[in-house]
Every structure is written in structure tokens, then in C-alpha cells.
Amino acid sequence: MKAHTEYLVFNTVKKIEFVRITGQVENAVKKSGVKEGLVLVNPMHITAAVIVNDNESGLIQDYQDVLERLVPYRAKYRHNVGEDNAAAHIWRQLMGHQVVLPITKGELDLGAWEQVFYCEFDGQRNKRVLIKVIGE
Amino acid sequence: MKAHTEYLVFNTVKKIEFVRITGQVENAVKKSGVKEGLVLVNPMHITAAVIVNDNESGLIQDYQDVLERLVPYRAKYRHNVGEDNAAAHIWRQLMGHQVVLPITKGELDLGAWEQVFYCEFDGQRNKRVLIKVIGE
Amino acid sequence: MKAHTEYLVFNTVKKIEFVRITGQVENAVKKSGVKEGLVLVNPMHITAAVIVNDNESGLIQDYQDVLERLVPYRAKYRHNVGEDNAAAHIWRQLMGHQVVLPITKGELDLGAWEQVFYCEFDGQRNKRVLIKVIGE
């Protein structure tokens, strides 16, 4: 079995931002030399998510509109004593916080429109994402 | 390490439909010959989800009622310019888009009521689900 | 490849309860002898979730407040004929039902604030969580 680990760092310009990282995950898979296996893409901070969805700017705004409507960013939360990011913690759960992707014949085995995104919900500071490839 | 990959194709009668696929995942595990490992079940389209929950028709309707109430299928979305499926993209995130299941002693190691479902949110066309088994 | 499987049992005092289980997952990783790999933590019951988030009591109450507001526990559901736990089934989907965690150099490779929680949404009875470690 082979294993390969990478840590990406993001420091987004905006507090809330969606960053496409499919290419970085593909690069990690290439470097791993794994032909058949799985790759986990997991944010190491708990106010961010990694998702797979469409690279379409309208939809990316729709996500934020829905999250804001269901769990308003600036509402009152018990967590927000000294902190101000409770909604970011909750948004990342609603969006699904991590993904595991398949590797077939040495490539990420994704459908035509599957794109990997880092979803930052409390940015403007260094935050890490772990990529772990295992397989053979 | 062994690996085994299958692609299922679904073309549902209805736009929104829940299809139980536990048996198909079990078959893939059997074919793989893996005794101890993991199996990823991942929709290759971004308006569908794979979940684990109860095979109970009332609950399956409850899911759709809740999703429709939180994120109405026919509301206005920025994505719906030329498209009409923004809500399907969002529903699949709220439901959790994929699952990874354990294999023990050559069998899917599920609890008594854990059933795997393909959740189609924009159907009536061919859509693929990838099953990737790895282990030994 | 090595594999190691454990079954945890929880019987919570309250119907709804968040139990921190990071230590139990770390112990399973230690026992497995795996240095590089993945660990799946999956509830075997479909009215519970396993998540990664903050060990902060205010936030844990915030999650319950948000879930109650979006999907009231005592509302009418089609599933609740003979049963009374439809909301628990739905909450576990909204929270993301399972996690896969990375193992690096023999340790759970988590960020500083990543803590694993068992989220019980229909407790006061024995319920199982499966931990499956694979790697080398």
C-alpha cells in the first residue's frame, strides 16, 4: 500500500469564499503514484468545508444565500461570546464537511461536472486542508 | 491491496426519486473479494446524493417535504439561467452527498436498519454512481 | 494492509446528546498499528451522526437550536406512525452522518480544534458506532 499526504494552506481575501481545488487534488494523486485507491480531502479547521459540486458562479452565490437564510451569519448564538463565527461552524456541517474521492488508473475518477471546492466560512487567516491518498 | 470499481446507471421515472441500492453495493463487495476494507459510493453527478437511512416510505416522503420547505424546488435561484435545477444541487449537499461503508469478513458491515439509497433530485436521464472497493 | 475494527456502544442519559469520542478513535488507531491510512467512524443506527467540530458547549447548544428551528422534533411527520423519531433521522442527514479521518505517522492527523463527536438524536437505549481502521 502507498500513502501520500499534503497540507494546503488558504488565506482568502473575503471572509466567505469558495476556492476550486480540483487541480491541487489531482496533483496530489499524481505525486502519490497510486493507481487504484481513495483520496480524503479534509479541512483541518472547523469553520470550513470541502465539497464536490458545480463550478458555476450563480450556484455558488445560491449556496451562500440559502445558508444565510437558514442560519443567518450575524444572528445571536451562544457560541458567540468572545467568538463571532458560530454560523460558520454550522454552515460547514450543513454543506457536508469533507469528501473522499476515487482514484482509478492513476486519475481522480470524477464525473464531467464534479469539481472540488474549499468552502471558507471564516477566512482572512491561514487555514489548512489535508489531502491523504492511499492505495496501490 | 485489492481494488474493484463499478459504475451503476440510473434513469429514474420521476424527477425526484429514492432508489434503494444496498444489494448492488453488497454485490460489488462480493465481486471484489475484499474481506477487510472500505467501499466508497459516490454519485458522479452533482444533483444526486447517496445516503444511508431507513427503508420506510413515510420517512422518504418526509425528507422531500423538509427539503422543499427549506429550499423550494421552483423558487428563483441565480443558477437557474438556462438551467432549472439549482435546488437539486443544494439538496444533495444538505443530505450529505456520498457515503463510505465498512467491509468486515467479506460483508458490508451495516447496522440492522442501515440501507443505502441513491437520491435522485434531477432525474429522467442517465446518471452514474461509482462504487470503489479497496482492502484486502 | 492492516485492518482493525471496533464497535462502541452508547446509551445516553438524554434523548439528544453530544458525546466527545476523539480519545476512543485515537485508541482504535493505536491498537490497529496503522501508521498511514484512514479511519471510518460510522454510526450503525440511523438516528445518530458522527461529526467533527468544536468542543464548546455553547456551540453544541446552537446546533440543537438550529436543528429544532429547521426541523422541529415534535412536528407531524409521515414516519411518525408507531414511531416518534422522524426528526432524528432527518437531523442526522443535515449534520453529515459519518466521518473519515486521516492517520499520519501512527496518529490521528487532526487540526488543533478538530474533535470527534457522537451525536445522539434518539437515545436512552444501546446504540453502536463502528470504527474501521485501514492502512499500513
Side-chain angles (χ1 to χ4, degrees):
Chain A
M1 209 204 71
K2 285 173 180 167
H4 175 75
T5 311
E6 289 191 22
Y7 305 90
L8 309 179
V9 179
F10 297 94
N11 191 329
T12 57
V13 172
K14 289 183 284 178
K15 203 84 173 162
I16 298 167
E17 201 168 314
F18 283 59
V19 184
R20 184 152 60 116
I21 61 171
T22 317
Q24 283 155 288
V25 181
E26 280 168 346
N27 284 345
V29 169
K30 286 279 158 62
K31 273 194 253 172
S32 74
V34 167
K35 299 301 175 200
E36 295 291 326
L38 298 176
V39 51
L40 167 69
V41 191
N42 185 59
M44 300 184 78
H45 296 254
I46 51 192
T47 50
V50 172
I51 69 162
V52 167
N53 218 301
D54 204 1
N55 184 29
E56 199 279 307
S57 62
L59 185 66
I60 286 167
Q61 190 57 52
D62 288 330
Y63 281 120
Q64 296 170 58
D65 292 351
V66 164
L67 290 167
E68 176 62 30
R69 181 167 55 75
L70 297 179
V71 184
Y73 206 85
R74 293 289 167 217
K76 261 191 126 175
Y77 299 97
R78 290 165 203 258
H79 181 61
N80 289 353
V81 178
E83 302 258 10
D84 65 352
N85 61 5
H89 287 279
I90 299 167
W91 288 18
R92 89 94 166 231
Q93 293 308 131
L94 295 181
M95 289 295 276
H97 95 269
Q98 63 176 196
V99 297
V100 175
L101 301 171
I103 302 163
T104 306
K105 295 178 187 161
E107 308 272 356
L108 265 191
D109 194 356
L110 298 180
W113 294 276
E114 282 190 286
Q115 294 285 338
V116 188
F117 285 89
Y118 173 66
C119 308
E120 178 60 84
F121 298 137
D122 184 28
Q124 299 174 328
R125 53 194 174 107
N126 278 355
K127 292 175 77 172
R128 288 192 299 160
V129 170
L130 181 149
I131 301 179
K132 175 71 80 174
V133 185
I134 70 163
E136 218 162 55
Chain B
M1 207 202 75
K2 285 175 180 166
H4 175 74
T5 311
E6 289 191 22
Y7 304 90
L8 310 178
V9 179
F10 297 94
N11 191 328
T12 56
V13 172
K14 289 183 283 177
K15 202 84 173 163
I16 298 168
E17 201 168 315
F18 284 58
V19 184
R20 185 152 60 116
I21 61 171
T22 316
Q24 283 155 289
V25 181
E26 279 168 347
N27 285 345
V29 169
K30 286 277 159 63
K31 273 194 254 172
S32 74
V34 166
K35 299 300 174 199
E36 294 290 326
L38 298 176
V39 50
L40 167 68
V41 191
N42 185 59
M44 301 183 78
H45 296 253
I46 52 191
T47 50
V50 172
I51 69 163
V52 168
N53 219 301
D54 204 1
N55 185 30
E56 197 280 306
S57 62
L59 186 66
I60 287 168
Q61 189 58 51
D62 288 330
Y63 281 121
Q64 296 171 56
D65 293 349
V66 164
L67 290 167
E68 176 62 30
R69 181 167 54 76
L70 297 179
V71 184
Y73 206 86
R74 294 288 168 217
K76 260 191 127 174
Y77 298 98
R78 291 165 202 257
H79 182 60
N80 289 353
V81 178
E83 302 259 10
D84 64 353
N85 60 5
H89 287 279
I90 299 167
W91 287 19
R92 89 95 166 226
Q93 293 307 132
L94 295 180
M95 290 294 277
H97 95 269
Q98 63 177 195
V99 297
V100 175
L101 301 172
I103 302 164
T104 306
K105 295 177 188 162
E107 308 272 354
L108 264 191
D109 195 354
L110 298 180
W113 295 276
E114 284 190 284
Q115 294 285 339
V116 189
F117 285 89
Y118 173 66
C119 308
E120 178 60 84
F121 298 137
D122 184 28
Q124 300 175 328
R125 54 194 172 107
N126 278 354
K127 293 174 78 172
R128 288 192 299 161
V129 170
L130 181 148
I131 301 178
K132 172 74 79 174
V133 185
I134 70 164
E136 217 161 57
Chain C
M1 209 202 74
K2 285 175 181 165
H4 175 74
T5 311
E6 289 192 21
Y7 304 90
L8 310 178
V9 179
F10 297 94
N11 191 329
T12 57
V13 173
K14 289 183 284 176
K15 202 85 173 162
I16 298 168
E17 200 167 317
F18 284 59
V19 184
R20 185 152 60 115
I21 61 170
T22 316
Q24 283 155 289
V25 181
E26 280 168 346
N27 284 346
V29 169
K30 286 276 158 64
K31 273 194 253 172
S32 74
V34 167
K35 299 301 175 198
E36 296 290 326
L38 297 176
V39 50
L40 167 68
V41 191
N42 185 59
M44 300 183 78
H45 296 254
I46 51 192
T47 50
V50 173
I51 69 162
V52 167
N53 218 301
D54 204 0
N55 184 29
E56 198 279 308
S57 62
L59 185 66
I60 286 168
Q61 189 58 52
D62 288 331
Y63 281 120
Q64 296 171 57
D65 293 349
V66 164
L67 289 167
E68 177 62 30
R69 182 167 53 76
L70 297 179
V71 184
Y73 205 86
R74 293 288 168 217
K76 261 191 127 173
Y77 299 98
R78 290 166 203 258
H79 181 60
N80 289 354
V81 178
E83 303 258 9
D84 64 352
N85 61 6
H89 287 279
I90 299 168
W91 287 18
R92 88 95 166 230
Q93 293 306 132
L94 294 180
M95 289 296 276
H97 95 268
Q98 63 176 196
V99 297
V100 176
L101 300 172
I103 302 163
T104 307
K105 295 177 187 161
E107 306 273 355
L108 263 191
D109 194 355
L110 298 180
W113 294 277
E114 284 190 284
Q115 294 284 340
V116 189
F117 285 89
Y118 173 66
C119 308
E120 179 60 83
F121 298 137
D122 184 28
Q124 299 175 328
R125 53 193 173 109
N126 278 356
K127 293 174 78 173
R128 288 191 300 161
V129 170
L130 181 148
I131 301 179
K132 173 72 81 173
V133 185
I134 69 163
E136 220 162 55

